[in-house]
């Protein structure tokens, strides 16, 4: 389109030249002169068209090269940005893994160890926390005694003879009998149609919710017995109200009605805060 427009402009500019030539050569103008004049004009137009086509093609190629250069620069910038993002993600991942290995894992292991110690202390199985005694240690002692010289043995026997015998009247105290574990009994659950009955729901830390009916006149300690019976010891866990969230105050002689449980209530089983 651009070359056609330029050719039209040159044609229009060549018309005045043709008119001037005609005026100059009107007396002697013949058919041959007209043909030569038209030939010159067409040659001029062809030359101009060639120049214009070459110029426009060169300009288009230059523009395309510029566009290609811009595209290549943009691609290089995108590649650099991707590399930078990958490096940042890699460094962040390394930091996260180091934090997990150096901070979170030791903290969780320490917490699990403390919970295990508290559990064994509560159940009376503290012997599981010790490393135990190496097998064959008694045999080592026998071997050590057997390796002593006869002189050392006779000296020890003489020292034993010089000691006064202990009184035979000393009676060894009887071994303490293990105390039987107290069985936690809960009162019989009243029917729904009975009067002065409330339904209490316990929301456990595991997400489980247990429901049971009690009489309002029941002792408030039945809630703690219920909590211990489902596996949450009172030395570690306690009860709190849902809204407003506060620890539930209970005394030995208080009833459920005395501590404010007069309607159906939801109580939370929560771990007590450990004070150092």
């Amino acid at each position: 389109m651009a070359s056609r427009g330029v050719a039209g402009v040159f044609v229009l500019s060549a018309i005045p030249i043709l008119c001037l030539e005609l005026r100059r050569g009107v007396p002697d103008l013949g058919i041959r002169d007209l043909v030569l004049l038209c030939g010159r004009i067409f040659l001029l137009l062809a030359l101009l068209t060639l120049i214009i086509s070459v110029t426009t093609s060169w300009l288009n190629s230059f523009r395309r090269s510029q566009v290609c250069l811009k595209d290549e620069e943009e691609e290089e910038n995108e590649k650099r940005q991707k590399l930078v993002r990958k490096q940042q993600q890699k460094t962040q991942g390394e930091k996260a893994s180091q934090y997990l290995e150096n901070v979170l894992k030791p903290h969780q292991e320490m917490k699990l160890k403390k919970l295990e110690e508290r559990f064994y202390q509560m159940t009376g199985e503290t012997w599981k926390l010790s490393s135990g005694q190496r097998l064959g240690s008694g045999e080592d002692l026998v071997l050590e005694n057997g390796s002593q010289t006869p002189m050392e043995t006779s000296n020890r026997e003489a020292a034993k003879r010089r000691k006064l015998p202990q009184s035979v009247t000393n009676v060894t105290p009887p071994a303490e009998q293990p105390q039987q574990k107290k069985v936690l009994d809960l009162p019989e659950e009243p029917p729904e149609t009975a009067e002065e009955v409330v339904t209490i729901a316990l929301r456990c830390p595991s997400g489980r919710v247990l429901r049971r009916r009690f009489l309002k006149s029941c002792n408030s300690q039945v809630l703690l017995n219920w909590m211990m019976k489902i596996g949450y010891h009172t030395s570690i866990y306690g009860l709190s109200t849902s809204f407003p969230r506060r620890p539930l105050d209970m005394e030995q002689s208080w009833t459920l009605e005395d501590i404010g449980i007069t309607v159906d209530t939801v109580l939370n089983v929560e771990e007590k805060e450990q004070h150092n």
Side-chain angles (χ1 to χ4, degrees):
M1 293 296 290
S3 60
R4 291 177 183 177
V6 174
V9 171
F10 280 106
V11 169
L12 292 175
S13 62
I15 291 173
I17 299 171
L18 180 60
C19 293
L20 290 174
E21 290 293 334
L22 289 173
R23 285 181 181 179
R24 289 177 185 174
V26 167
D28 300 328
L29 187 61
I31 295 173
R32 185 179 179 183
D33 295 330
L34 288 173
V35 172
L36 290 174
L37 182 59
C38 291
R40 291 174 184 176
I41 292 171
F42 282 119
L43 287 174
L44 179 62
L45 290 175
L47 182 61
L48 291 174
T49 305
L50 180 63
I51 293 170
I52 290 167
S53 62
V54 171
T55 305
T56 52
S57 62
W58 181 79
L59 289 174
N60 291 331
S61 63
F62 179 75
R63 288 176 183 175
R64 288 174 185 172
S65 61
Q66 292 293 329
V67 172
C68 292
L69 290 174
K70 288 182 180 179
D71 293 338
E72 290 178 357
E73 290 178 357
E74 290 179 356
E75 289 179 358
E76 290 180 358
N77 292 330
E78 288 180 357
K79 288 181 180 178
R80 290 175 185 173
Q81 290 177 359
K82 287 181 180 178
L83 289 174
V84 171
R85 289 196 202 98
K86 286 183 180 179
Q87 290 177 357
Q88 290 177 352
Q89 291 176 357
K90 187 177 179 180
T91 53
Q92 292 295 330
E94 291 177 355
K95 288 181 180 179
S97 60
Q98 289 177 0
Y99 179 77
L100 181 64
E101 291 290 336
N102 300 330
V103 179
L104 288 182
K105 275 192 176 180
H107 181 71
Q108 290 177 356
E109 290 176 357
M110 189 179 297
K111 191 174 180 181
L112 289 174
K113 190 175 181 181
K114 287 182 179 179
L115 289 175
E116 187 179 5
E117 291 177 357
R118 285 166 59 189
F119 174 75
Y120 287 138
Q121 289 174 0
M122 182 180 67
T123 55
E125 298 178 349
T126 53
W127 58 271
K128 291 184 179 180
L129 299 174
S130 62
S131 58
Q133 189 176 2
R134 186 171 61 86
L135 293 175
S137 58
E139 297 176 358
D140 296 340
L141 292 174
V142 172
L143 291 174
E144 289 177 0
N145 293 331
S147 62
Q148 293 177 353
T149 60
M151 183 65 69
E152 292 177 353
T153 306
S154 60
N155 290 336
R156 287 190 177 183
E157 290 179 356
K160 286 181 182 179
R161 290 170 187 170
R162 286 196 298 269
K163 290 182 181 179
L164 295 175
Q166 296 180 354
S167 61
V168 185
T169 57
N170 292 337
V171 180
T172 57
E176 295 182 357
Q177 296 181 355
Q179 297 181 357
Q180 295 181 355
K181 292 185 178 180
K182 185 178 178 182
V183 180
L184 300 175
D185 292 330
L186 297 177
E188 188 177 353
E189 189 173 7
E192 295 182 0
T193 57
E195 296 182 355
E196 301 295 323
V197 174
V198 291
T199 301
I200 298 175
L202 287 187
R203 185 182 287 114
C204 304
S206 61
R208 185 178 56 169
V209 178
L210 302 175
R211 291 179 175 82
R212 202 179 190 279
R213 294 186 297 275
F214 295 96
L215 292 172
K216 296 180 183 179
S217 58
C218 287
N219 195 317
S220 59
Q221 296 298 316
V222 297
L223 299 178
L224 298 179
N225 294 340
W226 185 25
M227 184 179 70
M228 291 181 65
K229 196 166 185 178
I230 63 177
Y232 297 97
H233 202 274
T234 54
S235 62
I236 301 176
Y237 296 92
L239 295 174
S240 63
T241 58
S242 295
F243 185 81
R245 203 175 193 87
R246 59 179 178 80
L248 194 64
D249 296 329
M250 289 182 288
E251 294 292 340
Q252 189 70 28
S253 60
W254 287 2
T255 62
L256 296 179
E257 192 172 3
D258 293 336
I259 63 176
I261 299 178
T262 57
V263 295
D264 296 346
T265 308
V266 178
L267 299 177
N268 297 319
V269 180
E270 296 180 345
E271 189 174 358
K272 293 181 180 179
E273 295 182 357
Q274 297 296 325
H275 300 285
N276 296 328

